[in-house]
Amino acid sequence: MTLSHLSSIISFFLFTASISGQKLYTPTLSLQREGVLRDPERAVSASIADDFETFFFNQTLDHFNYRPESYTTFQQRYLIDSRYWGGANSSAPIFVYLGAESPIDGSPTVIGFLRDNAAQFQALLVYIEHRYYGESIPLGMSFEEALHDTNIRGYFSSAQALADYAAIIIHVKLNLKARDSPVIVVGGSYGGKLASWFRLKYPHLTVGALASSAPILYFDDITPQDAYYSVVTKDFKEASETCYQTIGDSWSEIDRVAQELNGTSNLSKMFKTCKPLKSGDELKNYLMSLYATAAQYDDPPRYPVTVICNGIDGANTTENGILGKIFAGVVAYKGNSACYVNPPTNVSQTNLGWGWQTCSEMVMPIGITNNSMFQSQPFNLSSFIDECNDQYGVTPRPHWITTYYGGHDIELILLRFGSNIIFSNGLRDPYSSAGVLKNISDSIIAVYTEKGSHCLDILAEKQTDPDWLVMQRKVEVEIIKGWIAKYYSDLLAFKQ
């Protein structure tokens, strides 16, 4: 796969086609805070901690067919931390983190919820890498080779990933003679979807699931397409009415300047772009991405949305008017830099892999209507399908997720057959708009905070965490304790 082809895939992943001619920024589901104002206290190494052992499982390529090639195996990576485990003899629990659309390397340190609570549960910690990411790529291929192979990438799906997790969980329990140890699965964002779906599809293998910031309802028109950007708008409006208004007024101003003689050149100078702008839309795309990212990862104590708005509201500019204020917001968010817009593109596995996943099954129709601080850019399924056909030669299946996992009438359906799932959210996170925000039953519980952001509850604890975040985690821990206690009670009764 050539670098130019990779670049085109990244461009498609970031900007879904819209009917207006401008490309609509599609927000990432990653829980990583890359490129976001980061709290130094929360900064951690991306390397695997010394306390974890690395293992490779001989994984089946295709769990759902019986053709000769289905039996091909590949090495799937998983990590184990046994420091806190009470052991198989005491049936101590096993906490399993379900890896998502990135390598597993940084998860033991970033996903602090498991490590922070392992001692009180005497839990074994297991982190499983999602197939096709990190070192878990079939047939010894590079990531790019596997993604370019039209046959091999067909095994790159959420259903196959869930079956992988099931196989490894069974293997670990057998290997440790931990048959009676209850398993709790944890995931965030896309991984949060996987955690909730795993509990529904494999209830015999897990006692319960913590699904953090899992937008399981952003499929098949269950959630209004403008829900994501409506929350972004709400976040900025609550931070500052004048900031919100300035941003809303800036789009037409960018259009006006771009149409002038040397307009894009002037915009490039005004915003200190890393390379000359080709159009005003290019600048608008960058700003939309910046605002969406700030809202999604609006973590305490810095609150990036407030940082941007303070920069916009505090700008002392007369030369460039509204756009001068907008640029001041960019500088406040990004800090001092030689250039801002159009920085060099990082060709990551997340960018490329999620591009494929959205073009196959993860079709989330995110668009913009007139009810936000952004210009109207409705999601257009026909254009999206055309782009996916151009990039991959496949037609997306927009109804498959709800067919396979459900989603419609979720309160009624899960009330009848679901149990033991925590759906946790922070309402500053735009993806919370497609999450489960109210209790479905006594054991399918929504835990959310007004000021929380994307997957904040499963990140590592720190001393400066606000009380509401501390309480959210405590509530989640108490729910999990209840699940495990009930499991032990049932186990004892079964053995008598």
Side-chain angles (χ1 to χ4, degrees):
M1 183 177 289
T2 65
L3 188 59
S4 61
H5 187 55
L6 293 177
S7 178
S8 68
I9 291 177
I10 291 172
S11 297
F12 168 66
F13 161 71
L14 292 175
F15 306 110
T16 301
S18 76
I19 61 175
S20 64
Q22 184 186 346
K23 300 293 186 178
L24 175 59
Y25 170 73
T26 301
T28 178
L29 266 172
S30 174
L31 52 76
Q32 300 285 358
R33 269 82 172 141
E34 297 176 5
V36 183
L37 280 174
R38 300 180 68 181
D39 183 353
E41 190 179 344
R42 202 182 293 281
V44 294
S45 169
S47 62
I48 298 174
D50 294 335
D51 300 313
F52 288 79
E53 291 184 88
T54 300
F55 298 90
F56 289 89
F57 178 69
N58 209 31
Q59 188 63 266
T60 301
L61 178 64
D62 182 7
H63 297 282
F64 304 109
N65 288 287
Y66 299 90
R67 296 186 298 268
E69 62 270 23
S70 299
Y71 293 87
T72 303
T73 59
F74 68 96
Q75 296 295 293
Q76 186 167 9
R77 182 167 57 153
Y78 65 98
L79 316 173
I80 291 182
D81 181 355
S82 58
R83 287 176 295 166
Y84 310 99
W85 196 37
N89 290 338
S90 62
S91 299
I94 300 173
F95 288 174
V96 180
Y97 176 73
L98 305 184
E101 73 280 28
S102 63
I104 203 72
D105 301 77
S107 297
T109 45
V110 173
I111 311 303
F113 183 89
L114 282 74
R115 187 185 65 248
D116 294 338
N117 293 291
Q120 64 173 307
F121 284 95
Q122 294 187 303
L124 181 76
L125 304 184
V126 181
Y127 294 73
I128 307 176
E129 190 164 65
H130 193 297
R131 61 166 51 200
Y132 287 77
Y133 291 105
E135 297 182 23
S136 302
I137 302 170
L139 305 181
M141 293 181 167
S142 69
F143 183 85
E144 291 79 7
E145 288 171 340
L147 196 62
H148 188 54
D149 189 306
T150 56
N151 291 317
I152 296 302
R153 72 180 179 212
Y155 303 110
F156 188 177
S157 71
S158 61
Q160 296 280 7
L162 293 184
D164 290 343
Y165 301 143
I168 290 178
I169 288 171
I170 291 171
H171 168 77
V172 168
K173 294 187 72 174
L174 285 174
N175 191 50
L176 297 176
K177 297 179 174 60
R179 175 182 175 180
D180 293 334
S181 292
V183 171
I184 302 293
V185 295
V186 179
S189 199
Y190 166 53
K193 296 179 184 181
L194 295 174
S196 66
W197 293 335
F198 190 86
R199 170 62 186 164
L200 297 175
K201 292 292 187 182
Y202 297 91
H204 54 294
L205 295 181
T206 178
V207 169
L210 170 55
S212 177
S213 297
I216 63 169
L217 302 180
Y218 228 136
F219 296 100
D220 214 3
D221 298 321
I222 298 172
T223 297
Q225 65 166 274
D226 64 351
Y228 183 97
Y229 281 98
S230 293
V231 176
V232 177
T233 297
K234 176 177 174 286
D235 289 350
F236 276 86
K237 193 171 185 178
E238 288 180 349
S240 166
E241 185 82 29
T242 55
C243 169
Y244 150 80
Q245 192 63 52
T246 300
I247 293 173
D249 293 340
S250 69
W251 311 114
S252 59
E253 182 65 8
I254 292 173
D255 291 336
R256 185 191 66 80
V257 174
Q259 292 170 4
E260 295 177 345
L261 184 63
N262 299 321
T264 54
S265 177
N266 291 334
L267 288 173
S268 297
K269 293 176 183 176
M270 197 181 304
F271 282 85
K272 295 178 66 175
T273 63
C274 299
K275 57 185 178 183
L277 292 170
K278 297 178 181 177
S279 68
D281 286 342
E282 196 173 1
L283 175 59
K284 290 193 290 185
N285 288 334
Y286 172 85
L287 293 172
M288 287 173 62
S289 168
L290 184 143
Y291 301 142
T293 301
Q296 186 166 316
Y297 306 107
D298 199 28
D299 300 347
R302 298 192 170 190
Y303 293 114
V305 169
T306 300
V307 169
I308 292 173
C309 281
N310 286 344
I312 289 174
D313 291 341
N316 183 15
T317 175
T318 56
E319 181 181 356
N320 294 319
I322 289 176
L323 297 188
K325 293 181 179 181
I326 295 298
F327 179 62
V330 173
V331 174
Y333 179 78
K334 290 292 188 180
N336 293 324
S337 177
C339 65
Y340 295 92
V341 184
N342 295 332
T345 301
N346 177 28
V347 182
S348 71
Q349 286 189 351
T350 297
N351 294 147
L352 296 173
W354 192 245
W356 161 254
Q357 290 188 264
T358 55
C359 265
S360 51
E361 61 177 351
M362 294 291 163
V363 182
M364 295 186 293
I366 299 176
I368 300 176
T369 67
N370 292 319
N371 301 320
S372 75
M373 68 180 183
F374 302 96
Q375 291 176 316
S376 178
Q377 295 180 61
F379 177 85
N380 187 291
L381 181 60
S382 295
S383 296
F384 182 79
I385 289 172
D386 290 343
E387 290 280 0
C388 288
N389 274 316
D390 287 344
Q391 293 295 335
Y392 299 105
V394 297
T395 299
R397 299 177 182 175
H399 310 298
W400 175 241
I401 290 295
T402 55
T403 300
Y404 191 67
Y405 300 112
H408 293 287
D409 301 318
I410 190 170
E411 293 177 41
L412 175 63
I413 302 301
L414 292 192
L415 181 64
R416 292 164 55 200
F417 76 86
S419 65
N420 291 11
I421 303 173
I422 299 170
F423 289 104
S424 65
N425 282 280
L427 299 189
R428 287 186 188 269
D429 174 17
Y431 271 124
S432 68
S433 61
V436 176
L437 297 179
K438 62 180 180 179
N439 296 347
I440 292 177
S441 69
D442 290 341
S443 67
I444 300 182
I445 301 172
V447 180
Y448 64 85
T449 55
E450 295 286 341
K451 297 181 180 180
S453 52
H454 197 60
C455 298
L456 185 62
D457 60 314
I458 61 171
L459 300 187
E461 296 175 0
K462 59 190 186 68
Q463 291 184 343
T464 56
D465 283 338
D467 290 343
W468 52 262
L469 177 56
V470 174
M471 182 56 64
Q472 181 182 20
R473 292 180 178 134
K474 284 184 177 180
V475 169
E476 293 165 5
V477 166
E478 290 304 311
I479 294 170
I480 293 171
K481 284 182 178 178
W483 293 344
I484 293 176
K486 181 65 165 60
Y487 168 83
Y488 286 145
S489 176
D490 292 344
L491 181 65
L492 180 62
F494 177 76
K495 288 187 173 182
Q496 288 180 343

